[in-house]
Every structure is written in structure tokens, then in C-alpha cells.
């Protein structure tokens, strides 16, 4: 038997040989037995080889899956802070807005921007700037609930998604974050840097698009900056959108 | 002996490894990933080169394999190749194999060991030294 051809799918000659043996009255049982033994031997070798190939193939498959997973993770993570990046946050926002609409649950957004961040970079170098961002990521994360999402939204902007949260509670969270940042300066080897954040707060209104909600919270945050930084500003509700009320659908009118 | 036998040179593509067979050195190198559209067709000339080398050249044959991925049919073809080497080894030919693996990757060694398991020919598992 040719060992190097063990898995070739067809060996018609082997079967022809066996058939010829079986139909030949001159061949005795021992002759047939030899051929059958050979086929069984070959069959077992084949089964074993198939098992081996399958195991190895599965192993490579797992490697690919793992590589995919870490790629996906990397593409959703901000490498500096280890937080979800803008892309991951957008996906999360869409999912949470859908859930909030279906369940008629409140949903709030906070935008936090590091005050005078450019000054840290210009005075102490980008290295320190990076450490400020990393530090603030830790501070903010530590003050949130497990089901809140904190993401690095842009350069020195953090966006915080608070599911199941009304305006009053969101305002409370924003104040807590602001104070926490004030209380926890970044301690470096040679100095300690006081930091602060300006925050905007907005709750989602029915029918409001994500882009509009983001604009409102962004504007509120800039207002906080304009009023002197280190403070929280609540975004005004979106301008009322007149919605046509379908005839007989009174329920909708009372939303 | 081996008169007219040529070296084997297959350039690496996205889905197939670089393959270099050197008659004078008695070496066959694989490097890359293997998931060609038709694995049997891809490996046929390699198998033929090995068969011919073993039939016509009396020198040793050393395989060096640096593969990070093989699809199922490539695994099968690679085993066919190793079977040919094993058969030659059984006939007293001097054949050997070095399988290079990434020591950072936990599964790479396991897979290499699974390949090695059934063979009695000299089969070295060599960690690839990381640069830098």
C-alpha cells in the first residue's frame, strides 16, 4: 500500500480486486480474508487521518477566530485610555436609543471636555497630555454604574451614555463627575496637576435623532466652557417637532 | 543522479506559501499561509518534485516549514508530503523536517505537535526567534 496516497478518495482498483476475488470460485476464504484485512487496515488508517486533519483544521480555525476578536476589540477601543472609541460609542448609542424607544425608558447623555487641555500639552508636552486623558478616563469610569458607557469621543472629549436615567439624575451624575475630577489631581513624579472638566447634559426626547441629541449636548458643554469652565450645563429641550396625529390614535397624542 | 532535475520555485501569493526546492542543497522550504483555491493542484508539483528527488537523488532531504495557516485541504496535502518523507525514512533515506512555530502563540506549538505525532522521521519543532 502506498502510504503517501492514504487519503486519496478513490481506489477503484481495490474494490475491483475484491469483487474479482469474491466472484472467483477458485479463490478460497483465506484469499478473500487477506484482501478484506487490507481494506479494513486502510479504512482505519483513513479514519485516523481524517480525525487528525479535522483537529488541526479546528485549531487553525480557533486561531483565526481569536485574531478576529482581538482585531475587533482593537477597532472599538481607544488605545490611549483603553475606553470605547467614537465608533464603538456610536454603535452603543444606536442600540441604546432603540431600546429606550421600545421600552419608553429615559436615556441621558453627558459630554465632558477637559478644561485648558491645550495648556497641559503646550506646557508639559504631549506625554503629560496623554497622561491627563488616561487619568481622567479612570476618574470618570470609577464614578459610573456598570451599565453606563464612557467613551473617548474626540481629542479631549468624553461622552457618557446613561441608560434608564432622567434629567435630574443625569445632572446629579454630571455634578458628581465634575467634583470627582476636581478632587483628584493627576500626581506626577515632580508635580501634581489640577484638572477640571466642563460638562453638558441632555436627555433624549421621543422622535429626536441621534445627531440632534449629540448637537444639543455638545452645545451645552460649550456653554459651560463659555461660562467659565468647571461647570455643568443642561441642554434646553429640542424645539417641538409638530407630529401628525393619525386619526383615532389618541394614545400617540398623549405621549 | 538527478540529472536534469530542476529547483522548485513558487513565489508567495496571498493565499499560497513561498516554496523553494533546492536540488543541490537537498532542501525544501515552505513559508507563508496556505489556502489556495485548489490545494490539490497547488501541491501536486511539490509532491512530484519530492518524489522525483527521492527517486533520483541519493542525498538527504530536509524540509523547513514556516507556515502560519493551512486550510483543511492544505493540511491533507502537507500530510501526504510528510507521508512520502516518512516512507523514505523507512527505507533508510536521510530525511529530516524542521517545523518553525511562533512561541508567542499558544496554539501554534499544539498544532505542530499534532502534525508531528504520527511520524518517526527526525521532526524538530523550532520556536521562531522574535526580532528586536
Amino acid at each position: 500500500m502506498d502510504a503517501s496516497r492514504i487519503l486519496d478518495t478513490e481506489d477503484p482498483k481495490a474494490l475491483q480486486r475484491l469483487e474479482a476475488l469474491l466472484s472467483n470460485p477458485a479463490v478460497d476464504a483465506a484469499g478473500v480474508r487477506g484482501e478484506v484485512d487490507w481494506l479494513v487496515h486502510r479504512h482505519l488508517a483513513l479514519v485516523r487521518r481524517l480525525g487528525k486533519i479535522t483537529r488541526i483544521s479546528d485549531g487553525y480555525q480557533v486561531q483565526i477566530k481569536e485574531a478576529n476578536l482581538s482585531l475587533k476589540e482593537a477597532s472599538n477601543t481607544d488605545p490611549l485610555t483603553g475606553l470605547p472609541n467614537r465608533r464603538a460609542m456610536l454603535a452603543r448609542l444606536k442600540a441604546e436609543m432603540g431600546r429606550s424607544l421600545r421600552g419608553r425608558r429615559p436615556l441621558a447623555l453627558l459630554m465632558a471636555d477637559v478644561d485648558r487641555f491645550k495648556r497641559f500639552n503646550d506646557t508639559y508636552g504631549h506625554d503629560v497630555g496623554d497622561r491627563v486623558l488616561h487619568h481622567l478616563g479612570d476618574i470618570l469610569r470609577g464614578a459610573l454604574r456598570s451599565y453606563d458607557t464612557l467613551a473617548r469621543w474626540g481629542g479631549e472629549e468624553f461622552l457618557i451614555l446613561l441608560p434608564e436615567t432622567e434629567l435630574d439624575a443625569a445632572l446629579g451624575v454630571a455634578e458628581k463627575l465634575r467634583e470627582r475630577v476636581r478632587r483628584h489631581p493627576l500626581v506626577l513624579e515632580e508635580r501634581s496637576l489640577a484638572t477640571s472638566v466642563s460638562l453638558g447634559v441632555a436627555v433624549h426626547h421621543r422622535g429626536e435623532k441621534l445627531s440632534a441629541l449629540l448637537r444639543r449636548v455638545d452645545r451645552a458643554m460649550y456653554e459651560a466652557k463659555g461660562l467659565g469652565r468647571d461647570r455643568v450645563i443642561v441642554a434646553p429641550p429640542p424645539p417641538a417637532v409638530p407630529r401628525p396625529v393619525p386619526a383615532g390614535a389618541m394614545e400617540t397624542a398623549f405621549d | 543522479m538527478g540529472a536534469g532535475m530542476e529547483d522548485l520555485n513558487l513565489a508567495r501569493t496571498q493565499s499560497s506559501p513561498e516554496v523553494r526546492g533546492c536540488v543541490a542543497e537537498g532542501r525544501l522550504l515552505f513559508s507563508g499561509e496556505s489556502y489556495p483555491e485548489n490545494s490539490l493542484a497547488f501541491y501536486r508539483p511539490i509532491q512530484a518534485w519530492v518524489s522525483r528527488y527521492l527517486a533520483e537523488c541519493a542525498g538527504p532531504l530536509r524540509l523547513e516549514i514556516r507556515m502560519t495557516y493551512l486550510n483543511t485541504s492544505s493540511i491533507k496535502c502537507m500530510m501526504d508530503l510528510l507521508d512520502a518523507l516518512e516512507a523514505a525514512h523507512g527505507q533508510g533515506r536521510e530525511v529530516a523536517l524542521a517545523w518553525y512555530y511562533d512561541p508567542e502563540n499558544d496554539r501554534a506549538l499544539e498544532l505542530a505537535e499534532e502534525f508531528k505525532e504520527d511520524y518517526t522521521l527526525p521532526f524538530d519543532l523550532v520556536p521562531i526567534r522574535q526580532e528586536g
Side-chain angles (χ1 to χ4, degrees), chain A residues 121-135:
Chain A
N121 267 336
D122 293 348
T123 313
Y124 306 109
H126 288 274
D127 228 32
V128 169
D130 286 355
R131 290 182 67 173
V132 167
L133 290 173
H134 191 274
H135 169 72

Side-chain angles (χ1 to χ4, degrees), chain A residues 16-32:
Chain A
Q16 281 167 14
R17 244 189 351 259
L18 185 62
E19 274 165 17
L21 281 171
L22 288 170
S23 58
N24 184 350
V27 175
D28 61 359
V32 174

Side-chain angles (χ1 to χ4, degrees), chain A residues 3-8 48-49 51-64 66, chain B residues 47 67-72 75-76 79-80 83-84 99 105 107-108 111 114-115 117-119:
Chain A
S4 72
R5 286 287 174 265
I6 211 163
L7 259 194
D8 278 359
R48 183 177 156 71
R49 175 56 59 92
K52 197 173 208 33
I53 290 173
T54 308
R55 277 194 303 281
I56 293 175
S57 189
D58 283 356
Y60 281 119
Q61 202 91 328
V62 171
Q63 277 190 10
I64 289 178
E66 285 172 348
Chain B
Q47 180 77 251
M67 301 275 265
T68 49
Y69 174 74
L70 296 111
N71 70 359
T72 310
I75 296 168
K76 187 260 177 198
M79 286 183 165
D80 287 347
D83 287 344
W99 188 288
N105 179 346
R107 294 181 198 284
L111 289 173
E114 183 94 42
F115 264 105
E117 192 183 36
D118 283 348
Y119 298 104

Side-chain angles (χ1 to χ4, degrees), chain A residues 36-91:
Chain A
V36 169
D37 279 353
W38 184 88
L39 278 177
V40 168
H41 171 76
R42 193 173 187 282
H43 167 76
L44 291 176
L46 204 99
V47 167
R48 183 177 156 71
R49 175 56 59 92
L50 269 176
K52 197 173 208 33
I53 290 173
T54 308
R55 277 194 303 281
I56 293 175
S57 189
D58 283 356
Y60 281 119
Q61 202 91 328
V62 171
Q63 277 190 10
I64 289 178
K65 283 282 162 203
E66 285 172 348
N68 274 346
L69 205 66
S70 61
L71 267 182
K72 191 176 172 190
E73 232 171 71
S75 75
N76 284 320
T77 305
D78 167 49
L80 177 60
T81 58
L83 296 173
N85 59 16
R86 189 186 187 100
R87 175 194 140 95
M89 185 55 145
L90 273 172

